[in-house]
Amino acid sequence: MNEEQRSILLQSSSRFPPPKGTKLSYGTAGFRADASILQSTVFRIGILAALRSLKTGGAVIGLMITASHNKVSDNGIKVADPSGGMLTQDWEPFADSIANAPDPESLVKLITEFAKKENIPLDGAKAAVLLGRDTRPSGESLVEAANKGICSVVGAVAIDMGIVTTPELHWMVRARNKGLKATELHYFDQLSTSFRCLIDLIPEKSGDNHHPIGKLVVDCSNGVGGEKLQVLKEKLNAFLHLEIRNSGNSGILNEGVGADYVQKEKIAPQGFFGYSDVGISECFRCASLDGDADRFVYFTLTSNGDNNKINLVDGDKILSLFALFIKQQLSILNQDVGVGVGVVQTAYANGASTKYLNDLGLKVVFTPTGVKYLHGKAEEYDIGIYFEANGHGTVLFSDHFLSWLDGIKNEPCSGLEKQNAAKRLLAVANLMNQAVGDALSGLLLVEAILQHMGWSLDKWNQLYHDLPSRQLKVKVADRSAVVTTNAETSVEKPPGLQEAITALTSKYPQGRCFVRPSGTEDVVRVYAEAKTQEEADELADSVAKIVQQFLGSHFIA
């Protein structure tokens, strides 16, 4: 590092002192905290993003300012690598180090050592970082801090994309690094064109029913999804009957609304309690996005007089619908066995969904909790499908398989039916975000498949019936005392804990239980399933008490 670069870094970082007494850690969701203490962190991650661009030969890197489904007073920052995926795990320790460096001198020393270790040129080489933010009031000032960090690396430029969904920014990074057009207009054009293609390819006599499947009402969490979904609504008005609620014009971001709230609480979001919404025909469908529109769930309102109760259709059911449709298209191509299809879940996936997927003849594999693990595993297959129960996921296609589909599509001797199946799968690949989970693209694929099948939401929800489950948190002094293996389904340490859990679980029909340390707080999480809700509750409580005995915990939260 030359003296000019060192001087710029020292001077600029002195304007963003780190908050005292606070230690932040880069996780799956990047850094998240109260927005009031994030200026220094965001500035420093701007530097990291510029260094990452230099390390990758000037590739475009992304920085997204968001706290997703967190409360409005929080914010956060995460990095998108050149592929559009998450920051490589190898750089996470460096992110932690520079975020927590106590002063400018310590910060510059860390940067100097890291640049030398990684052979990063600090000689004015070109670097580029795309900046995006959600609708939080704190976003504008944090983007400015990130901009200052990026521009404190000589040769680096920041490109502000404004207010975008998290998946949009990831998509833009991936597209730019592939040499493709990557504006928001191109993003919406790709989604709408792919959706219309799938609708146009529906056979005339397809599905169980042959009538329009009715209106979709979407809760947009009072976040960025409302504005963006309105754009798609205008493009697809003739193909999809959409009604947008909680779009941000009134109400508070993520407060009593959104996919996270609906999935965890299993009640309707604000704005869906009115009498007119209840008891409407089964054609009436509802969905919820989260605050930055990277996850979604579906639901219907019950008609039993309890207006805020819902029938939830979560990420496991979304995954199952996508897997079923893809398998059907592969069967038409006579490739339902020959193509490597991998369905990726975590231990939190309901056991009934895993059984359903296995019964379809699909390979189901498990990873530890966290999108970075799911996405990485899904990339190993010709078609990789992953979703968490919270509604975050996507469908990935290998370049080799896409080339093969192109050949089928353009080969007349393949026959019209096979050509159309290939075209459908290519449209799915273009519709689904290949970089990260995307609520808008996922929502459109659900709607296209329901129209293709002629299914109501209730019909979809009958694919299988979830096993009753219960989740608990056990407060512990040191969560690191619990070490898991086998994709977090089995406890390795402390000795004896797994044996005790297994003995308890064996007493319950269809019982399944695992524990894992939280990644963000000093708790051990307990998940239990059983044949009845009473048994699932009892199993969870019993295992929580065992965890208390082994770890000397204080209380159950």
Side-chain angles (χ1 to χ4, degrees):
M1 182 186 298
N2 61 37
E3 197 54 41
E4 178 194 8
Q5 177 66 87
R6 174 181 168 81
S7 175
I8 291 171
L9 285 170
L10 285 171
Q11 184 177 7
S12 59
S13 60
S14 67
R15 294 160 56 187
F16 296 93
K20 293 182 179 179
T22 300
K23 185 174 182 179
L24 298 174
S25 179
Y26 194 100
T28 298
F31 292 104
R32 282 189 196 170
D34 189 285
S36 63
I37 64 169
L38 279 177
Q39 288 275 341
S40 169
T41 301
V42 169
F43 165 80
R44 293 169 180 209
I45 298 306
I47 296 173
L48 179 147
L51 296 177
R52 186 69 185 151
S53 178
L54 292 172
K55 171 68 178 179
T56 55
V60 175
I61 300 297
L63 275 187
M64 184 67 195
I65 309 291
T66 182
S68 187
H69 53 273
N70 284 34
K71 59 188 177 182
V72 69
S73 57
D74 287 348
N75 217 321
I77 185 167
K78 55 184 173 180
V79 182
D81 249 4
S83 65
M86 296 182 178
L87 174 68
T88 177
Q89 293 179 53
D90 294 344
W91 276 48
E92 289 181 9
F94 176 58
D96 289 349
S97 296
I98 63 170
N100 295 298
D103 52 61
E105 287 286 351
S106 301
L107 174 65
V108 172
K109 183 173 185 290
L110 284 168
I111 293 169
T112 303
E113 292 172 349
F114 187 75
K116 183 177 180 181
K117 171 175 166 267
E118 293 287 325
N119 295 315
I120 297 171
L122 290 172
D123 54 6
K126 299 299 182 185
V129 181
L130 295 190
L131 279 167
R133 63 184 174 95
D134 67 16
T135 56
R136 294 165 194 272
S138 58
E140 191 170 354
S141 64
L142 290 178
V143 163
E144 182 58 28
N147 192 355
K148 297 289 187 187
I150 294 162
C151 295
S152 67
V153 175
V154 176
V157 295
I159 305 163
D160 190 352
M161 307 308 293
I163 294 176
V164 292
T165 71
T166 294
E168 272 187 276
L169 187 79
H170 285 262
W171 181 91
M172 290 171 178
V173 170
R174 182 176 187 271
R176 287 206 177 208
N177 286 316
K178 284 181 168 289
L180 304 173
K181 295 177 179 178
T183 66
E184 185 170 74
L185 176 62
H186 293 111
Y187 169 79
F188 286 125
D189 282 347
Q190 182 167 318
L191 264 59
S192 58
T193 300
S194 303
F195 176 79
R196 288 195 300 267
C197 178
L198 285 167
I199 299 302
D200 289 342
L201 288 168
I202 295 175
E204 287 185 18
K205 295 183 179 180
S206 173
D208 298 340
N209 308 298
H210 311 303
H211 54 79
I213 64 171
K215 178 168 63 174
L216 172 65
V217 185
V218 185
D219 156 39
C220 293
S221 198
N222 292 317
V224 63
E227 171 190 333
K228 307 307 179 183
L229 192 58
Q230 182 62 40
V231 178
L232 286 173
K233 179 180 178 179
E234 292 168 5
K235 285 179 171 288
L236 298 172
N237 205 36
F239 301 87
L240 184 62
H241 188 185
L242 268 175
E243 180 181 325
I244 298 171
R245 297 188 187 177
N246 300 325
S247 61
N249 297 323
S250 59
I252 299 171
L253 176 69
N254 294 329
E255 189 169 301
V257 293
D260 189 66
Y261 174 81
V262 169
Q263 190 251 339
K264 284 186 168 60
E265 301 298 328
K266 294 183 174 58
I267 59 177
Q270 290 180 12
F272 283 73
F273 300 152
Y275 175 79
S276 62
D277 286 339
V278 182
I280 297 178
S281 75
E282 65 176 15
C283 289
F284 187 69
R285 304 176 316 288
C286 307
S288 274
L289 317 180
D290 71 335
D292 66 337
D294 68 352
R295 62 171 77 169
F296 70 106
V297 294
Y298 271 71
F299 62 95
T300 56
L301 299 161
T302 62
S303 54
N304 60 6
D306 193 355
N307 288 7
N308 66 340
K309 293 298 183 183
I310 63 168
N311 298 308
L312 178 68
V313 185
D314 65 7
D316 292 339
K317 283 272 172 68
I318 294 167
L319 182 152
S320 297
L321 180 71
F322 291 175
L324 175 63
F325 180 75
I326 287 168
K327 184 172 175 60
Q328 287 178 348
Q329 304 316 305
L330 291 174
S331 295
I332 294 170
L333 291 165
N334 295 322
Q335 293 292 325
D336 51 332
V337 176
V339 173
V341 180
V343 179
V344 190
Q345 294 185 309
T346 72
Y348 283 107
N350 194 276
S353 73
T354 306
K355 182 179 185 303
Y356 173 80
L357 293 162
N358 281 325
D359 289 346
L360 280 180
L362 294 169
K363 180 179 181 180
V364 181
V365 293
F366 289 87
T367 71
T369 304
V371 173
K372 59 188 174 186
Y373 302 112
L374 290 154
H375 193 94
K377 191 66 180 177
E379 287 180 316
E380 297 178 9
Y381 299 92
D382 291 326
I383 304 176
I385 315 167
Y386 73 87
F387 264 86
E388 294 182 292
N390 63 25
H392 189 288
T394 190
V395 184
L396 305 180
F397 291 77
S398 72
D399 290 340
H400 171 78
F401 183 64
L402 290 175
S403 296
W404 182 80
L405 287 175
D406 264 325
I408 298 295
K409 179 193 74 172
N410 295 317
E411 182 55 64
C413 65
S414 299
L416 182 60
E417 193 176 9
K418 286 188 176 182
Q419 283 183 307
N420 285 343
K423 288 176 183 177
R424 289 186 196 106
L425 289 175
L426 287 166
V428 171
N430 282 322
L431 177 56
M432 294 302 287
N433 198 318
Q434 299 296 291
V436 73
D438 187 332
L440 299 185
S441 66
L443 198 79
L444 292 181
L445 183 55
V446 166
E447 292 300 310
I449 295 174
L450 291 180
Q451 288 196 42
H452 182 97
M453 302 286 201
W455 283 6
S456 66
L457 191 143
D458 183 63
K459 174 85 174 178
W460 170 23
N461 207 17
Q462 297 303 311
L463 283 178
Y464 60 83
H465 297 286
D466 282 334
L467 287 167
S469 64
R470 177 76 185 278
Q471 294 189 46
L472 292 175
K473 294 192 295 185
V474 184
K475 183 74 173 178
V476 297
D478 179 14
R479 68 181 184 270
S480 66
V482 176
V483 178
T484 62
T485 186
N486 297 328
E488 301 179 318
T489 60
S490 182
V491 176
E492 196 172 56
K493 295 179 182 178
L497 177 55
Q498 183 57 51
E499 289 77 7
I501 293 170
T502 301
L504 278 171
T505 305
S506 66
K507 298 177 181 179
Y508 296 87
Q510 297 179 267
R512 183 171 74 93
C513 187
F514 67 91
V515 303
R516 56 177 286 270
S518 167
T520 56
E521 52 186 325
D522 277 323
V523 300
V524 171
R525 301 185 185 275
V526 177
Y527 179 89
E529 283 178 359
K531 189 174 182 179
T532 68
Q533 188 62 57
E534 182 180 7
E535 290 173 336
D537 293 345
E538 188 177 286
L539 176 57
D541 287 336
S542 298
V543 170
K545 289 173 183 175
I546 290 292
V547 172
Q548 285 181 306
Q549 292 172 15
F550 272 80
L551 298 178
S553 54
H554 304 299
F555 59 86
I556 300 175

